[in-house]
Amino acid sequence: MAETKNEGNGKPVIFSGIQPSGNLTIGNYIGALKNFDQFQNDYECYYCVVDLHSITVRQDAARLRKRTVELTALYMAVGLDPERSTLYVQSHVSAHAELAWILNCYSYMGEMSRMTQFKDKSRKNEENINVGLFTYPVLMAADILLYQTNLVPIGEDQRQHLEICRDIAIRFNNAYSPTFAVPEAYIPKVGARVMSLQEPTSKMSKSDENADNFVAILDPQDVVMRKFKRAVTDSETEVRYDVQAKPGITNLMSIYGAMTGKDMPAIEKEFAGRGYGDFKEAVGVSVAEGLRPVREKYAALVADAPAIEAMLGRCAGRAEQVARKTLTKVQRKVGFLPRPRSM
Ligand code: TRP
């Protein structure tokens, strides 16, 4: 299996694709971003802003460019270090599109038609059911497989796409010889499920129409405080952990716990006999204050777009080298002539 071994320092490889759309929430922060520091020590990390995926729905060009820079700045503000991780833009590394084409020819109409996200998106977007939307999971597979990825951090909604990616990898490896590492899903243990503030039985979502349902990482302090003040609780008065009977309070406790490092019994004790008003205020402060350094760092970073673009250029160069190796192998196996040396 020498061929599927990861390049570089021998650490397992993590690949994550992030859409430059919507607002990242404290759910994203608690579930994943907060752990960047540890992540970057334990894994070889690739974070890819997937602008090719974005255009499967219509985008305003200037806005897409702006959001690509903003998302990059936000990832850096929460601790992603481009010296230790590769943070880059998908369209800068043409191997993604090239491998996607090849893998399209090793994927089947039947399996793509079964994707629930495709069915959902087509239903919601009847006037633009484009072919890119249909083949979206193949591009995602190409993203992952180019880097000999071992682990892919994803939410529940992307599980089916990762399964397809694994199927395609195994299919190709069997048809030729081991070419791709077969990746596993990585579901973060803590804070994987931060719930909506207004409907605490459904997940907090960055694309929710009602902005009171989520707290964005970049929400200013007063907005954070207001949203927690309005958060749905229950008719009791006791701060107690009980997912079934008290989903609202339980969600707020989890958020407070994640931001302060306190465990649930400690939180129950802290607020014994104090009522919900006090508690919500404390949760709001823990989030608003906890994210203050992120907001400040973000503001400084985003003010210097040329520096961000220069960084993206360096990282794209790094990604390109690794991706090109896998792509070259694939091209040889399927029977393409070697690329002319002059290119
Ligand atoms: N489809 C993913 C999403 O919407 C984004 C994505 C694209 C991705 N390529 C990826 C995620 C590769 C993980 C790995 O969230």
Side-chain angles (χ1 to χ4, degrees):
M1 297 285 280
E3 259 190 310
T4 58
K5 240 186 58 215
N6 299 121
E7 309 294 335
N9 50 22
K11 288 180 192 172
V13 173
I14 284 198
F15 184 97
S16 186
I18 40 191
Q19 295 252 17
S21 58
N23 256 320
L24 287 176
T25 70
I26 57 166
N28 301 113
Y29 180 74
I30 290 169
L33 309 182
K34 205 157 77 63
N35 312 315
F36 267 165
D37 213 51
Q38 187 205 325
F39 249 54
Q40 295 178 104
N41 290 332
D42 298 349
Y43 303 100
E44 173 82 29
C45 298
Y46 294 88
Y47 289 94
C48 180
V49 182
V50 293
D51 54 353
L52 300 181
H53 280 104
S54 286
I55 64 164
T56 55
V57 297
R58 287 287 169 264
Q59 302 284 340
D60 174 76
R63 203 173 134 89
L64 178 58
R65 266 189 287 275
K66 186 160 172 274
R67 282 193 172 264
T68 301
V69 170
E70 287 172 352
L71 186 68
T72 304
L74 184 55
Y75 268 73
M76 290 170 76
V78 293
L80 200 141
D81 172 7
E83 299 305 318
R84 289 194 286 158
S85 299
T86 303
L87 172 58
Y88 72 105
V89 176
Q90 192 182 29
S91 62
H92 289 170
V93 180
S94 60
H96 289 252
E98 294 178 69
L99 182 61
W101 172 256
I102 297 174
L103 296 182
N104 268 325
C105 304
Y106 293 80
S107 307
Y108 295 100
M109 297 295 289
E111 59 191 356
M112 291 303 139
S113 314
R114 284 196 293 276
M115 295 292 101
T116 52
Q117 191 167 78
F118 172 69
K119 289 192 259 184
D120 283 355
K121 285 189 180 172
S122 325
R123 218 174 294 126
K124 283 188 199 143
N125 215 352
E126 263 175 53
E127 69 294 345
N128 183 22
I129 307 178
N130 60 70
V131 180
L133 198 60
F134 185 69
T135 192
Y136 177 115
V138 180
L139 177 59
M140 178 164 161
D143 298 342
I144 296 166
L145 298 179
L146 277 174
Y147 298 90
Q148 305 297 340
T149 302
N150 304 108
L151 293 171
V152 186
I154 43 166
E156 256 338 295
D157 64 322
Q158 296 297 313
R159 243 183 214 289
Q160 220 185 7
H161 290 167
L162 188 69
E163 256 333 291
I164 281 279
C165 171
R166 290 167 53 86
D167 290 346
I168 295 171
I170 293 168
R171 185 176 300 152
F172 195 92
N173 288 349
N174 287 342
Y176 297 94
S177 53
T179 309
F180 301 123
V182 180
E184 310 268 346
Y186 178 92
I187 315 270
K189 284 181 220 84
V190 266
R193 278 185 88 71
V194 172
M195 311 306 276
S196 157
L197 295 186
Q198 296 298 316
E199 296 161 48
T201 48
S202 56
K203 205 175 149 190
M204 183 180 282
S205 164
K206 61 182 182 176
S207 44
D208 213 304
E209 298 129 31
N210 179 359
D212 278 350
N213 278 334
F214 64 83
V215 176
I217 294 178
L218 295 173
D219 274 347
Q221 170 138 15
D222 57 322
V223 174
V224 173
M225 295 306 293
R226 194 184 65 229
K227 286 182 180 176
F228 279 108
K229 197 179 233 165
R230 288 188 190 156
V232 162
T233 52
D234 52 57
S235 56
E236 298 179 7
T237 54
E238 194 187 1
V239 175
R240 177 167 52 82
Y241 191 89
D242 186 335
V243 181
Q244 294 305 322
K246 299 166 77 71
I249 286 293
T250 297
N251 186 38
L252 295 177
M253 288 176 75
S254 306
I255 294 169
Y256 187 63
M259 296 308 295
T260 59
K262 293 174 186 171
D263 63 16
M264 297 304 124
I267 298 171
E268 286 174 356
K269 217 156 133 202
E270 183 178 352
F271 293 97
R274 284 176 58 189
Y276 288 167
D278 263 18
F279 174 55
K280 288 185 181 180
E281 168 94 17
V283 182
V285 169
S286 76
V287 171
E289 285 308 316
L291 291 176
R292 178 186 299 282
V294 174
R295 290 194 299 272
E296 288 172 358
K297 214 166 155 203
Y298 174 82
L301 285 163
V302 89
D304 190 358
I308 291 195
E309 285 173 33
M311 180 285 291
L312 287 173
R314 288 192 297 276
C315 282
R318 235 152 55 206
E320 161 82 24
Q321 279 200 351
V322 178
R324 185 56 63 185
K325 248 187 201 157
T326 301
L327 180 64
T328 300
K329 239 183 250 178
V330 170
Q331 289 172 325
R332 178 168 47 78
K333 293 188 189 199
V334 301
F336 296 171
L337 278 177
R339 280 177 116 208
R341 285 212 176 276
S342 56
M343 295 187 68

